[in-house]
Amino acid sequence: MKKVLLIVFVFLGIILNAQCWANDLFIDIANSKNDAFKAFYKNAPVENYDAYKILSESKQLRQDPNTLEALAGFTKKQSDYIKNNPGRIEKIIDNLKSENVRCTTCTSGSNKGLPPMHVIIDDLDWALITFKDKPDVIKVLTEMSASGPKADGGAFMLNTLRNKPKEFINSIEGFEIKYLPDRQFEADIKRAINGRTHLGEYKSYKKTTWENFPNNTGSVDQLMGYLKSGEDFSYTANIMKLADADNPTRFVKEQFQKVFKKNVNEIFKPTEKGGMSISNIRKQFGENIETPKDFLDEINNFDSKIYKNIIVE
């Protein structure tokens, strides 16, 4: 019987120009003690084999029933995306693997800051369906295919959004939105709230990365860009990455406080030299601010207006 199955799988591999992964699948089925994995390939549709092919380079993921089921569903429902973006989902999965994302049956995978792989794949599917009328949602997946950290950050954002109420989701107007005409900064999301634009930034940083935030030129420039834009904005941090911080919310706010203190002179420069107008300073930080001293007093208060825009969840 095994010889017959081997012939079938080799023949299937030749047809699909994928003899190597077809042989691997036969061996995995023959050796597996996981009944759910074996059942997944009993009278299976073609998308089940597509899922295995995509995961074939990962011996653990390719045998995880939950990951296979999620990816098979994705390949079936998002066939146009896969056709128009060849290799993109493979790159996203590879990047998530590089960030040690877990799976249900994997013995490796240490990233407890993100949900398991099958949930992330379901989140990708959800995003493409939910925001199908907003073509720029594709940019999120493109970003996730660029690197491991970007895949991690995108997975955190999509999972966070998926758990938001309907009113929040309906307020989203776009993704990866450029918010300063003369700079390349892009906000992760753009929302419309009571007729006002609200920009959102999602950071899936561990504690050591947040500690470097005040000294990272790119991070500081991005934050200063948000401040100078005059738009409402918020930062959302991944609390699951901050288990080693005594008070994660206070800890993240302290990193922003350090940026504000170091850049007080930049903030109070004349607007023609790149500073913020006093009206914008008051809007972002507090209505009673007149001088740099007032500003420094205000940012020492963690109940201040600016810190309400820093969310840790």
Side-chain angles (χ1 to χ4, degrees), residues 1 3 30 52 58 62-63 92 111 113 118 123 130 133 149 180 210 213 226 238 255 266 274 300 303 305:
M1 182 64 181
K3 288 183 178 179
Y52 186 94
S58 173
R62 75 190 191 194
Q63 297 186 62
I92 292 173
N111 190 339
H118 72 277
D123 290 343
T130 303
D133 296 328
L180 282 180
W210 274 115
F213 182 82
Y226 276 119
N238 186 351
Q255 310 317 307
E266 175 71 18
N300 282 330
D303 292 324
K305 182 178 181 180

Side-chain angles (χ1 to χ4, degrees), residues 286-305:
E287 296 298 328
N288 296 321
I289 294 176
E290 294 282 352
T291 66
K293 182 181 182 304
D294 296 335
F295 174 83
L296 292 171
D297 289 342
E298 187 67 32
I299 62 173
N300 282 330
N301 174 16
F302 284 108
D303 292 324
S304 180
K305 182 178 181 180

